Amino acid sequence: MAKFHLNGQQADFTASPDTPLLWALRDFYKMTGTKYGCGMALCGACTVHVDGAPTRSCVTPISAVEGKRVVTIEGIWATTRAPVARAVKAAWIDKDVVQCGYCQSGQVMSAVALLTKNPSPSDADIDAAMSGNICRCGTYQRVREAIKSAAASLKKA
């Protein structure tokens, strides 16, 4: 059994320890904001935070999160990172980032992790942090603009 914290609550998962975290989140905990994209940690749609670090949940076995803090897109709003998440959300809307929306929870989770670690990212920093997130609609330029906008709004706060 894997015991961990999920969005601030104690979680106990009793299925196979090699079950990918993604499927535990979606099927067992009914948190469907985290998406399945490729199953090989290449697209970023499944990004969650594990102890604050952006993590691809599709290749992370549930046993790897034993004793750790897992935060999903559903839970990011109630964490200490909520101000950053709100700034990212506002910038995403302002810059009209979303097209189909499928990749967005992973994009947002990666952007929040970046801005938490680096509140003044350069273009190269943004590109590096977001490089594992594929947007099938090609909104990469708007993602970069939104991250810069979120960083600027956080500096004003």
Side-chain angles (χ1 to χ4, degrees), residues 29-83:
Y29 295 104
K30 305 302 182 199
M31 294 186 181
T32 57
T34 305
K35 304 298 185 200
Y36 173 81
C38 67
M40 299 182 293
L42 300 173
C43 74
C46 68
T47 303
V48 298
H49 293 175
V50 176
D51 284 347
T55 302
R56 303 301 191 245
S57 64
C58 70
V59 296
T60 303
I62 196 77
S63 60
V65 300
E66 176 77 33
K68 296 184 179 178
R69 293 174 294 112
V70 176
V71 177
T72 68
I73 191 74
E74 292 93 346
I76 195 73
W77 317 104
T79 69
T80 58
R81 293 179 174 198

Side-chain angles (χ1 to χ4, degrees), residues 113-122 125-126 151:
L114 167 63
L115 290 174
T116 300
K117 184 177 178 181
N118 180 356
S120 299
S122 66
D125 295 332
I126 294 169

Side-chain angles (χ1 to χ4, degrees), residues 93-113:
I93 292 167
D94 181 57
K95 300 300 180 186
D96 199 24
V97 171
V98 179
Q99 292 283 306
C100 78
Y102 197 82
C103 68
Q104 293 307 303
S105 59
Q107 297 271 9
V108 166
M109 294 300 282
S110 292
V112 169

Side-chain angles (χ1 to χ4, degrees), residues 141-157:
Q141 188 62 34
R142 285 184 279 183
V143 166
R144 184 186 296 149
E145 290 172 19
I147 291 171
K148 287 180 176 181
S149 178
S153 74
L154 288 165
K155 286 178 189 169
K156 293 177 188 174

